[in-house]
Amino acid sequence: MGSCFNGGAGWPEPVVRVQAVSETCGETIPERYVKPQLDRPSATTLQPAVSHGAGGCGLNIPVVDMSMPESDETVRAVEAACREWGFFQAVNHGVSPELLRRARSSWRGFFRQPAEVRERYANSPATYEGYGSRLGTTKGGHLDWGDYYFLHLLPASIKSHDKWPSLPSTLREATEEYGEEVVKLCRRVSKVLSKGLGLDGGRLLAAFGGEGGEGACMRVNFYPRCPQPELTLGVAAHSDPGGMTMLLVDDHVRGLQVKKGGQWITVDPVPDAFIVNVGDQIQVLSNAAYKSVEHRVTVSAAEERLSLAFFYNPRSDVPVAPMAELVSPERPALYPEMTFDEYRARIRQRGLSGKAHLQSLQHACSSVAS
């Protein structure tokens, strides 16, 4: 099978590109990609009610108009969405549709490059930066049906254009501009989230390390066609380990599912919207007022799918714990203090595992308190 590499720099076994598997596996996917029965897409999945009006949701996640982020109405809508769903779709967010299309097109162009071009950027589990196909370093585990490209944007000291693909020629410029605009949007949303907690608008940003001190990275996901989509997932169920995620998806191919009330709800994407979700770090900082919610990605037999997941995080060495204003005798701190680097190391070693990582911290904190 073509397009595989053995990661001497940390991978426990040869890594095979899902694009290569998709092109050569015929009608049956390899056993490594077959999920356990309870983890497969199933009849418990609810299809969305198509409801694209701002504030409406039905069976879809809430849609919030971000054109007036300072307004009380916007604060209330975002607060409610993050307390109840952990997700919302942001429309009128201020990032131009032309830039969104350019970023998507550039990255689709990368995944259409010949395998030998893509392999120049093969990653290792030390930082995950570059072209990859797996998370976690456990040998022999189940694999997800997707390839990705991971890169750093903030802090500026670890951003390196040389680690970004040089082809297509539009990619580096489009990614740089996209990153700058999405960071600005994340800062606007963080102010809204802070106000929703009854805090000063700059409180969450300060907890992240202040403007310019935050972390930001991006994972571009590519999900090839799959002959047996009912048996596998593009990304297994997980909550995002970072602070906040801005997800740009294909407008015409569904795939993201959010867990709500024990059922998986397929998100119906609004054209040119960002799907915003709370990560584990904001759940910790808010002392669980805001929820990081499990989600997963299904794949399609008919169409490939691309998404850009932009992760806005606390600075890696800043201690993260429930904010003092949200802790009281009646509501003690639910989580111990831990830097994002320490938390992320756990994820990279063990891989995605639902909400198990965050729940283990909460249990540890409860044990200490008792």
Side-chain angles (χ1 to χ4, degrees), residues 26-189:
E27 298 302 313
T28 305
I29 65 174
E31 191 67 25
R32 292 288 301 277
Y33 298 94
V34 177
K35 299 295 183 183
Q37 186 73 43
L38 292 177
D39 295 338
R40 299 174 192 173
S42 68
T44 61
T45 298
L46 297 178
Q47 295 304 313
V50 179
S51 176
H52 288 169
C57 58
L59 291 180
N60 203 4
I61 61 175
V63 179
V64 179
D65 186 337
M66 290 296 298
S67 59
M68 294 174 34
E70 302 291 335
S71 73
D72 290 344
E73 182 179 359
T74 301
V75 171
R76 286 193 299 269
V78 169
E79 177 199 1
C82 292
R83 288 179 183 272
E84 183 179 352
W85 285 81
F87 273 82
F88 65 94
Q89 297 197 64
V91 298
N92 300 322
H93 43 65
V95 183
S96 79
E98 183 276 332
L99 178 57
L100 304 184
R101 287 189 281 272
R102 189 152 38 95
R104 269 191 296 228
S105 175
S106 294
W107 279 102
R108 198 178 294 279
F110 168 75
F111 285 101
R112 288 176 176 163
Q113 296 297 314
E116 59 269 22
V117 173
R118 288 180 269 124
E119 291 301 337
R120 294 173 193 165
Y121 303 95
N123 72 350
S124 82
T127 66
Y128 278 85
E129 190 164 18
Y131 177 48
S133 300
R134 63 179 294 164
L135 292 172
T137 54
T138 303
K139 187 174 182 178
H142 291 283
L143 298 174
D144 291 336
W145 191 267
D147 300 321
Y148 64 84
Y149 202 103
F150 183 83
L151 54 86
H152 291 290
L153 292 147
L154 286 176
S157 59
I158 63 171
K159 179 174 70 174
S160 173
H161 286 179
D162 291 340
K163 295 179 181 178
W164 300 6
S166 59
L167 294 174
S169 60
T170 57
L171 187 145
R172 290 181 177 177
E173 181 180 353
T175 301
E176 180 69 25
E177 185 180 350
Y178 180 84
E180 290 174 357
E181 292 302 311
V182 179
V183 164
K184 293 176 187 175
L185 174 59
C186 289
R187 289 171 181 160
R188 293 196 293 273
V189 173

Side-chain angles (χ1 to χ4, degrees), residues 69-72 75-76 79 83 187-208 281-290 321-328:
E70 302 291 335
S71 73
D72 290 344
V75 171
R76 286 193 299 269
E79 177 199 1
R83 288 179 183 272
R187 289 171 181 160
R188 293 196 293 273
V189 173
S190 77
K191 290 181 180 179
V192 177
L193 291 171
S194 294
K195 291 178 180 179
L197 293 168
L199 306 176
D200 177 79
R203 185 65 179 90
L204 266 179
L205 181 57
F208 272 41
Q281 303 305 299
I282 284 184
Q283 176 165 329
V284 169
L285 286 164
S286 71
N287 209 22
Y290 293 149
M323 291 185 286
E325 303 94 319
L326 304 178
V327 175
S328 67

